[in-house]
Amino acid sequence: RSELKIAVMSTSLPTPAQCVRVHVAAAASGRKRALCKDSSWAGERAPLEAEKNQDADEILLADESGEGLLEGLVTNLFVIDHEGVLITAKEHVLEGHMRALVIHTWQAQGGRVSYTTPTLSEASSWKAAFLTSAVRLPQPISEICWPHVAGAPSHKFSDFAPVLEFQSLVQQALDE
């Protein structure tokens, strides 16, 4: 007869930096089971975590073409284009609570949402980009780097105001 043991660990979350810098993973094609939290994902993402260095706060998963951006290893990705449309991938991403709240809050403010995969070729039309997770309000991205695409410049963002303003709206929605 064996005993069932349950261990629980808790720790304070660090205060995140105001902005994050991300790298796009070279050989990733999204998760195998993106629609649910899967314990095997922790092991599957280990080689990608190793790609993270002091220059990157998160790794974004690319689609099969290597140009489309799906999500981060532990985050959802959103892009705001110059027309104010919120762009986020619909397939091959974890549709968590915070992602749903972000989309709902954006639409409640009269914003449009496009469920299309943001791509490298569209980067010049992006006004801002941000990440979220179960424990992260919208956090602006300062730079997206494609280190595996020869000649691909990084895309830098300098106007964080739209994301920071939206961040306070998401916080209000959480508080309600």
Side-chain angles (χ1 to χ4, degrees), residues 13-14 16 74 98 132-137:
L13 291 171
V74 295
M98 184 60 75
T132 64
S133 73
V135 295
R136 183 185 303 204
L137 291 171

Side-chain angles (χ1 to χ4, degrees), residues 80-96:
I80 303 169
D81 73 9
H82 284 291
E83 295 178 7
V85 176
L86 185 68
I87 302 168
T88 186
K90 178 69 174 169
E91 297 181 358
H92 308 292
V93 298
L94 180 63
E95 297 182 15

Side-chain angles (χ1 to χ4, degrees), residues 15 20 22 32 39 41 43 53 85 87 136 138 163 171 176:
T15 303
V20 294
V22 297
K32 293 177 185 172
S39 59
W41 175 237
N53 59 37
V85 176
I87 302 168
R136 183 185 303 204
V163 177
Q171 181 64 61
E176 292 177 353

Side-chain angles (χ1 to χ4, degrees), residues 52-172:
K52 233 184 336 185
N53 59 37
Q54 62 205 29
D55 294 334
D57 298 299
E58 174 67 300
I59 298 289
L60 294 178
L61 302 175
D63 64 9
E64 294 81 14
S65 74
E67 183 176 293
L69 302 178
L70 300 172
E71 63 182 346
L73 298 180
V74 295
T75 58
N76 288 116
L77 170 69
F78 296 88
V79 170
I80 303 169
D81 73 9
H82 284 291
E83 295 178 7
V85 176
L86 185 68
I87 302 168
T88 186
K90 178 69 174 169
E91 297 181 358
H92 308 292
V93 298
L94 180 63
E95 297 182 15
H97 170 76
M98 184 60 75
R99 183 177 188 276
L101 181 64
V102 163
I103 291 167
H104 173 79
T105 304
W106 191 267
Q107 291 174 323
Q109 298 299 312
R112 288 190 354 222
V113 175
S114 173
Y115 293 103
T116 56
T117 302
T119 61
L120 171 60
S121 62
E122 299 166 340
S124 63
S125 71
W126 300 344
K127 181 177 182 179
F130 62 91
L131 301 174
T132 64
S133 73
V135 295
R136 183 185 303 204
L137 291 171
Q139 188 172 19
I141 294 174
S142 62
E143 183 176 11
I144 298 177
C145 302
W146 281 265
H148 66 286
V149 177
S154 64
H155 187 79
K156 295 183 180 185
F157 301 95
S158 58
D159 183 8
F160 306 122
V163 177
L164 296 174
E165 290 167 13
F166 183 63
Q167 182 184 73
S168 66
L169 294 173
V170 173
Q171 181 64 61
Q172 288 173 7

